[in-house]
Every structure is written in C-alpha cells, then in structure tokens.
Amino acid sequence: MADGAIDVRLENVSKSFDRVQAVREVSIDIPRGEFFSMLGPSGCGKTTTLRIIAGFERPSQGEVYIRGVRVTAVPPYRRDYSMVFQSFALFPHLTVAENVAFGLRMRRVPGAERRRRAQEALDMVKLEELAQRYPRQLSGGQQQRVALARALVVQPAVLLLDEPLGALDKKLREEMQVELRQLQRRLGTTTVFVTHDQEEALTMSDRIAIMRDGVIEQMGPPREVYERPRTEFVASFLGASNFFDARVIERRGAEAAVDLGFGRGVIAHVDAPGTDLRIAVRPEKIMLAPLGAPGTHDARIREIVYRGVTTHIYLDCAGREVIVFLQNTAPQALAWRIGDAVSFAWEAGNAVVLDRV
Amino acid sequence: MPSSLTGFEPAPLGDFLRRASSYALIATPILFFIVFFLGPLLYLFVVSLLEPSKTELYGTRLTLENYERILVDDFYHRIVTRTLLVGSLVTGTALLIAYPVAMAIARMSPRWRILAMIALMFPLMLSNVVRAYGWIAVLGRQGVVNSVLIGVGAIDTPLAMLYSIETVVIGLMTILLPYMIISIANALTSIDRAYSEAAQSLGANPWRTFIHVTLPLSSPGVAAGMQIVFFLTLSAYVTIALLGGPRFSLLVSLVYRSAMAFQWTQAAALAFVLLTVALCVGTLIVLVLRPGRVQGRG
Ligand SMILES: Nc1ncnc2c1ncn2[C@@H]1O[C@H](COP(=O)(O)OP(=O)(O)O)[C@@H](O)[C@H]1O
Ligand SMILES: [Mg+2]
C-alpha cells in the first residue's frame, strides 16, 4: 500500500487451551486495505487467530497490534474493528435498522446522524426496504447483508469475517463473494477473512495464509500459493496435485534432469539442495500425448470422470496413480476411453519442488 | 400433484390410515385437556353463575349476584389489592435476588451448573407446608431469632414477627425463589455467546452489553419465572395461612373459606376472580417484557 501502514500485526502469537495448542507462533502483518484470508481445514486454528485479533481470546504468548497500537491486553469493546460472525449473531429483539445502528449507538453518535448512517449502510447492501423488519423475517442472504452493514457502518480499522458465507447455498455464496469483494475494494477496509473453502480464498483474497495445526504453512498472493506451493499439504489443500519423488541426475543452472522412477524428466526452479526431491505437478498442467513421443511417460487410463467444464482422467503409470484434468474444449478430451494406452508429460516449469518436511 | 408423472401413485388406503393415526395422536391430548381441564372449568363457571342455596350446594336460577358482591363490597376490594401487593412484592424481590444468582450459575462450567441446579431443586422436593413450618421455627415467639435476641439480652419479650405481611412475603419469596432462578438461569445459558460478543465487537462495554443484549435476550426466562412465582403466590393457601395467621386473608384464603362453608357459588365466583387476576397479570408481564421478540414470534 502507498503509505505502507500496517493495520493488523500479530507478533509471534501462540494460544493454548487446556490440552490443545490451537495457534503456534503466528506472525502476520496486514497492510491497510488488504483483503487477507486465513485458509485451512477445520480445527487448524483460524477462528482462534481471528478471536485473538478481536480480543475474545487472550494469546498465551505474543503481541497483537491494531493500527500500530498494542492491544494485546485491551478488551474487545475498546479495539478498533468490527466482526461478522458465522451465525451472523443479529440481535433478534432489534429491527434491521436498530441492528445496523447498534455500533453507532454504542459510540454515542446522535440520533439523527445515527439513523442517516444506518440507512446509508443499508442502501449500500441494497436492503433499504427492509429496515423495519426483524432478523427472523429475512432470508439467509439478507441476514448476511445486514450483518455486513452492521459491521461496516462504524467504519472500522479492520473488518473481521469468520466463515461469513458458510451458511449460504452455493449460488448465493458465489454472488456474495463478488459483492463482498467489490464493497471491500470500494471502501478500502482492511479485511481478515476466515474460510475453509480454498476456491473462496483464491477468488477473494489479496493474500492467503494457509494454516495447519496452528501453524501458517505458507502465506502469499493467490497465484503464488497456488502456482508455487511450498509443502505437500499446501499443494493438496489448495487444489489438487500429483506428487513424485525425483532424484537429480544432472544440474544445469536452475534446471535439473531427474529420475522419476518410471522415467526421466526435466524440472525447473530447483534451488533446493540435495539430490532427493519431492515434486508436485498440478493435474491441469499435465498433457496427454500420442503414445511414445520423446520425453513422455507411458500409462493406461484407469478411470474417466466427466465434470462438465473439465474431464478428470486417472492414469495408471507403472502402478502409481496420476490425475489429469482436461478442459472440455477440444473434442479429443472426450474421445478417451478407459483402458486406452496414452503418454503424458509436463513442461519443466510446471513441476514444483516442495520443501522436505 | 405430478405424482403420476413419476409413475408413483400413493395408495389411498395407506394414506387414509396414516392421516387417521396422526389425528388419533393429536386427539388423545385434546381429549385429556377437555376432560380434566376445560370440563371442570366450565362446570365451575356455571356454578359461579347460579344463585346460592341453603339446602343444596347451589341453586338452579342463573344470577350475577356472586360477582356483584365481590365488585361492590369494599372488603373484597381490600383483599384483591392485598393479593396484588403480596404477589408483586414476592415476584419483584424474587426477581431481584434471582437474576444475579442465575447469572452466576450461567457462567459456571456445565458440570458445576448441573450441580447448582440440582441443589436448587432439593427444596422444591419438600412440601411447602414443611418449609412454612421451618419459617415458624425461625421467626416464631420461641423461634431461633427470638431465642438468640433474648439470650444476648437485646430484647426482653419476644418480637411478634410471624403473622405479618412481611413474613408472608419473605416466606413465599424464599419458597418460590428456586423457580425464578432456574427459569432465568436456563434462559441465560441458552443465549448464544455470539450475541454478547457481537455487542462487544461493536463497542459495547460489559454493562451496556448486559442492558442492551443479555437482559432482553433473557426475557423469556424472566417472563416465565415471574409468571410461575406470581401464579404460585396466588394459590399458596397453606403458606399464607401458616405465616399470615388466621386473620390474614388473600383471595385464595377466601376461596378456601367459602368452599369449606359450603358457599359453593361464592367460592366459584372468587375462583374466577382469582383466575382473572392471574390472567391479567400474566398478560401484563408478557406485554411488558415481550419475550416473543426473542423466541421468533410476533
Ligand atoms: N475455547 C476452547 N477451549 C478448548 N479448545 C478450543 C477452544 N477453542 C478452540 N479450541 C481448539 O483449538 C483448535 C483450533 O480451533 P479453531 O480455531 O476453532 O479452528 P478452526 O476455526 O480453524 O476450525 C481446535 O482443536 C479446537 O478444538
Ligand atoms: Mg472456525
């Protein structure tokens, strides 16, 4: 960001509950205006991390800063953020307008201005007509918008969202993803978004942190974490991957010729030392080729799954499974039959060398 | 129905049987309700509209005189007022004491909470009569309080603490307190933590979170507790007689006395006045607290 201001900073934060260590030494800097996602399987510590920023959990160790102010020991109601809860947590005894105005009321904004700003916030999420309804009279999508309006109306330094779209059905969720992202861009609100849905994280984020067992395994822009996963976990949690053991035969600069066990291949971007590597290749980056072409590997088609946009082809290559995703653009993608003998290959640059863990 | 499109025709007989059995399922409780509740109530109402009789339990001519007497006579006015006063005092003090206790219970870990709830239920297993005698043992002329005060030389003659409106109120309040605590504690524990967190995330300190969120969200439990305590106060004949003494009367005492004196028509009319008081106060509680807002109704 232009001024480089950091809105949220976690410094070496850990959190233990009785037995479980939910968060381990997490450090994050989130610059102003960024849409930052925390992605990971259930139980990996996403919610706990978010609740530490919100002040609902006190970290066992480490410091929390919001807009440069250390808030580690500051109670939630004195921190400059607002939050959208997974259950929305709209107050059932208040109307939509009163719900949205709640934060302003707590900040002692005078009545007239309060009503005006609440109305504006409702306009923003296109719910101006429903101001006098009660939350239970709204659909899930409408409740979601009210929760968003209620959080944004106070113009928080940081917007925290804990799986806010989890309760919506797929179609609505995808609409809300786009809408939420547009709104966030327009307002420039620094946002921390928790999700276990990798597609959602890829779609919406400026930057993603992939968490596992309380640790951030990798952090970076969507393209980077998808194209250059550093660990097997990241490569398989974010999309799908084929994994191979590769032994370096010969190095030429950043490229290397490797023995894959079932043939020879070339890989690029080899900065890892040693000769025994673990590599990942995305299924959509594997090409099927005519049988026996030079530099390819022979295999047999074991299973074909037609998925509409793509066809998933499961190959048997000397006893190991290799998955290939084909775009259904060329008729040839649909021409394969189970049992066919094929060859496959990938471009050197599409093989990613993983960290050994 | 597009059922023919799917090639599936529901069997008419099976359908009928299913519907019949579901009616039977609903019919049973309705039947019980009519036989054991609505029937006797209607009977009582008819009795309250019959003229008194010297030789029978009630006469045969319809009249409003049983109600007229209650509406006109100052004596009855005083009794109704006192009944409302005692009911309000018992309910009010029970609420003030129960709410903080319930909050403490709601904050306990589930294990301790269950233990606390069980502890609260113990006194409810004892008869009210036993507990009223307990109060007599404490507050009576030779009771614990008087013995101690005389023993330390604070007083010479025993204080008359029984047989007053305060004793009745304190006695009833302590006897009924567990109902209020359990009712409110249940409501408080069932409030999703996310609501108070949402309030805090919007800048509400603990006090304002309580006033604007926790309190209104607990209104179903508060309303239920207040209704239970008020209704039980209205009908606590024995406790009122034991702690208030022979000359202390509330509406329920008059019902009892009229019935014992074989003035059935008068007793029935008084019972309906009592019922009306209960319904009015019960409705008032609901109108003021509006628990329906929280429970997903109007
Ligand atoms: N209040 C708590 N008490 C004990 N354990 C907890 C508590 N909150 C979370 N945990 C544990 O911490 C771990 C991380 O939980 P959470 O942050 O909710 O994960 P996520 O949101 O990624 O699904 C889990 O093992 C969970 O059981
Ligand atoms: Mg979670």
Side-chain angles (χ1 to χ4, degrees), chain A residues 220-235:
Chain A
R223 256 181 94 146
E224 184 185 304
V225 289
Y226 186 82
E227 301 290 341
R228 295 277 142 212
R230 276 211 300 267
T231 65
E232 205 163 320
F233 173 78
V234 173

Side-chain angles (χ1 to χ4, degrees), chain B residues 31-50:
Chain B
L31 202 69
F32 265 90
F33 183 73
I34 292 172
V35 170
F36 293 111
F37 185 73
L38 219 51
L41 205 63
L42 263 173
Y43 170 67
L44 204 62
F45 187 58
V46 172
V47 171
S48 78
L49 292 173
L50 293 173

Side-chain angles (χ1 to χ4, degrees), chain A residues 20-329:
Chain A
V20 227
Q21 192 167 7
V23 177
R24 297 164 204 251
E25 299 183 359
V26 162
S27 295
I28 310 175
D29 277 352
I30 304 174
R32 180 147 312 161
E34 183 171 74
F35 195 110
F36 183 89
S37 291
M38 287 191 285
L39 172 69
S42 174
C44 72
K46 309 178 295 287
T47 297
T48 305
T49 309
L50 201 71
R51 289 171 61 80
I52 286 173
I53 301 174
F56 297 128
E57 305 287 358
R58 186 86 188 262
S60 323
Q61 176 200 312
E63 302 287 353
V64 183
Y65 298 83
I66 294 178
R67 290 244 160 120
V69 180
R70 189 162 59 139
V71 294
T72 318
V74 172
Y77 51 91
R78 285 208 216 101
R79 299 187 182 195
D80 190 2
Y81 76 92
S82 58
M83 183 158 174
V84 174
F85 293 77
Q86 181 164 19
S87 59
F88 307 143
L90 296 176
F91 304 125
H93 59 293
L94 300 181
T95 63
V96 166
E98 288 166 341
N99 262 283
V100 174
F102 191 90
L104 299 174
R105 196 163 156 210
M106 292 306 118
R107 284 164 175 72
R108 304 192 190 279
V109 173
E113 187 192 342
R114 198 162 75 207
R115 277 186 292 280
R116 180 180 57 75
R117 280 172 66 182
Q119 194 59 45
E120 279 171 13
L122 282 174
D123 290 350
M124 187 174 69
V125 295
K126 299 178 215 133
L127 284 181
E128 48 279 73
E129 262 98 66
L130 303 181
Q132 295 317 314
R133 297 258 190 104
Y134 282 91
R136 65 178 168 279
Q137 299 167 317
L138 306 181
S139 70
Q142 291 167 336
Q143 291 185 18
Q144 154 75 58
R145 283 155 200 261
V146 176
L148 197 57
R150 181 177 73 174
L152 286 172
V153 75
V154 298
Q155 300 172 345
V158 188
L159 177 64
L160 306 179
L161 303 137
D162 190 0
E163 312 215 12
L165 309 178
L168 309 179
D169 59 55
K170 188 169 155 56
K171 186 103 176 23
L172 192 58
R173 195 163 70 215
E174 283 169 3
E175 280 173 29
M176 280 307 296
Q177 285 173 6
V178 175
E179 221 170 285
L180 176 57
R181 186 66 228 257
Q182 283 175 348
L183 203 59
Q184 188 271 343
R185 275 223 181 87
R186 188 149 59 81
L187 300 174
T189 313
T190 311
T191 301
V192 186
F193 183 86
V194 160
T195 180
H196 64 266
D197 183 333
Q198 45 114 358
E199 246 175 81
E200 194 164 277
L202 287 173
T203 311
M204 303 184 69
S205 321
D206 292 318
R207 214 150 51 104
I208 304 176
I210 293 114
M211 285 189 81
R212 176 199 197 182
D213 294 338
V215 177
I216 293 184
E217 285 239 340
Q218 192 170 349
M219 190 152 58
R223 256 181 94 146
E224 184 185 304
V225 289
Y226 186 82
E227 301 290 341
R228 295 277 142 212
R230 276 211 300 267
T231 65
E232 205 163 320
F233 173 78
V234 173
S236 56
F237 190 78
L238 211 58
S241 280
N242 294 292
F243 299 104
F244 304 102
D245 288 318
R247 175 181 292 271
V248 175
I249 302 168
E250 189 190 353
R251 280 178 193 269
R252 259 177 273 111
E255 282 207 354
V258 292
D259 178 9
L260 295 162
F262 52 85
R264 292 183 62 155
V266 182
I267 58 177
H269 310 293
V270 192
D271 345 333
T275 56
D276 288 319
L277 305 176
R278 183 84 171 150
I279 65 170
V281 186
R282 295 283 184 198
E284 71 274 16
K285 305 208 163 155
I286 295 183
M287 304 163 292
L288 293 189
L291 214 51
T296 65
H297 313 285
D298 295 342
R300 191 165 291 279
I301 295 179
R302 201 164 52 74
E303 184 67 63
I304 298 176
V305 181
Y306 175 75
R307 305 250 305 182
V309 180
T310 54
T311 298
H312 294 189
I313 297 187
Y314 294 78
L315 303 178
D316 182 343
C317 171
R320 85 190 63 219
E321 185 177 78
V322 177
I323 308 172
V324 183
F325 296 168
L326 297 180
Q327 283 290 322
N328 287 339
T329 41

Side-chain angles (χ1 to χ4, degrees), chain B residues 91-102:
Chain B
T91 310
T93 46
L95 178 62
L96 286 181
I97 296 173
Y99 208 105
V101 177

Side-chain angles (χ1 to χ4, degrees), chain B residues 235-267:
Chain B
S235 60
Y237 166 70
V238 180
T239 318
I240 293 164
L242 287 175
L243 296 180
R247 285 207 306 256
F248 184 89
S249 293
L250 297 185
L251 262 173
V252 65
S253 328
L254 298 191
V255 175
Y256 180 79
R257 226 173 291 154
S258 307
M260 290 300 105
F262 292 101
Q263 298 164 338
W264 271 43
T265 56
Q266 190 60 54

Side-chain angles (χ1 to χ4, degrees), chain B:
Chain B
M1 274 299 287
S3 58
S4 56
L5 292 179
T6 62
F8 173 71
E9 297 282 353
L13 181 65
D15 236 30
F16 170 77
L17 283 179
R18 204 166 38 236
R19 216 173 302 150
S21 67
S22 71
Y23 283 145
L25 218 60
I26 304 168
T28 317
I30 291 179
L31 202 69
F32 265 90
F33 183 73
I34 292 172
V35 170
F36 293 111
F37 185 73
L38 219 51
L41 205 63
L42 263 173
Y43 170 67
L44 204 62
F45 187 58
V46 172
V47 171
S48 78
L49 292 173
L50 293 173
E51 62 173 357
S53 157
K54 289 268 174 333
T55 52
E56 307 284 326
L57 287 175
Y58 37 81
T60 49
R61 207 169 46 82
L62 285 176
T63 174
L64 282 174
E65 72 177 85
N66 298 315
Y67 287 102
E68 259 171 44
R69 204 172 302 126
I70 301 171
L71 286 179
V72 173
D73 195 332
D74 248 9
F75 168 72
Y76 287 109
H77 292 176
R78 274 202 306 280
I79 298 291
V80 171
T81 312
R82 190 191 287 162
T83 303
L84 283 172
L85 179 69
V86 169
S88 310
L89 284 174
V90 170
T91 310
T93 46
L95 178 62
L96 286 181
I97 296 173
Y99 208 105
V101 177
M103 283 188 83
I105 291 175
R107 284 204 190 132
M108 292 175 181
S109 69
R111 214 167 113 213
W112 282 104
R113 200 186 309 139
I114 288 169
L115 285 176
M117 291 288 209
I118 291 173
L120 280 171
M121 297 215 193
F122 270 129
L124 300 182
M125 295 172 196
L126 283 177
S127 150
N128 285 357
V129 182
V130 175
R131 282 188 291 162
Y133 273 115
W135 277 109
I136 291 177
V138 173
L139 299 175
R141 289 182 67 82
Q142 280 127 43
V144 178
V145 174
N146 275 325
S147 308
V148 169
L149 288 180
I150 292 174
V152 301
I155 51 173
D156 300 326
T157 51
L159 298 171
M161 283 176 290
L162 282 177
Y163 296 178
S164 69
I165 187 166
E166 291 88 346
T167 321
V168 173
V169 168
I170 291 174
L172 278 172
M173 193 273 288
T174 51
I175 288 169
L176 299 177
L177 191 59
Y179 291 106
M180 186 76 95
I181 298 176
I182 291 170
S183 177
I184 297 175
N186 269 332
L188 286 172
T189 22
S190 69
I191 297 175
D192 190 339
R193 182 177 68 165
Y195 289 121
S196 71
E197 288 184 351
Q200 290 181 63
S201 76
L202 292 164
N205 62 28
W207 171 247
R208 300 184 91 194
T209 300
F210 174 73
I211 292 297
H212 293 288
V213 175
T214 312
L215 195 57
L217 289 185
S218 69
S219 62
V222 174
M226 289 179 75
Q227 285 177 337
I228 292 171
V229 169
F230 193 87
F231 296 164
L232 289 179
T233 299
L234 288 186
S235 60
Y237 166 70
V238 180
T239 318
I240 293 164
L242 287 175
L243 296 180
R247 285 207 306 256
F248 184 89
S249 293
L250 297 185
L251 262 173
V252 65
S253 328
L254 298 191
V255 175
Y256 180 79
R257 226 173 291 154
S258 307
M260 290 300 105
F262 292 101
Q263 298 164 338
W264 271 43
T265 56
Q266 190 60 54
L270 282 164
F272 268 90
V273 171
L274 191 59
L275 188 65
T276 310
V277 169
L279 287 178
C280 288
V281 173
T283 309
L284 188 71
I285 289 172
V286 168
L287 286 180
V288 171
L289 293 177
R290 293 198 286 155
R293 296 179 298 171
V294 182
Q295 291 166 318
R297 284 189 271 107

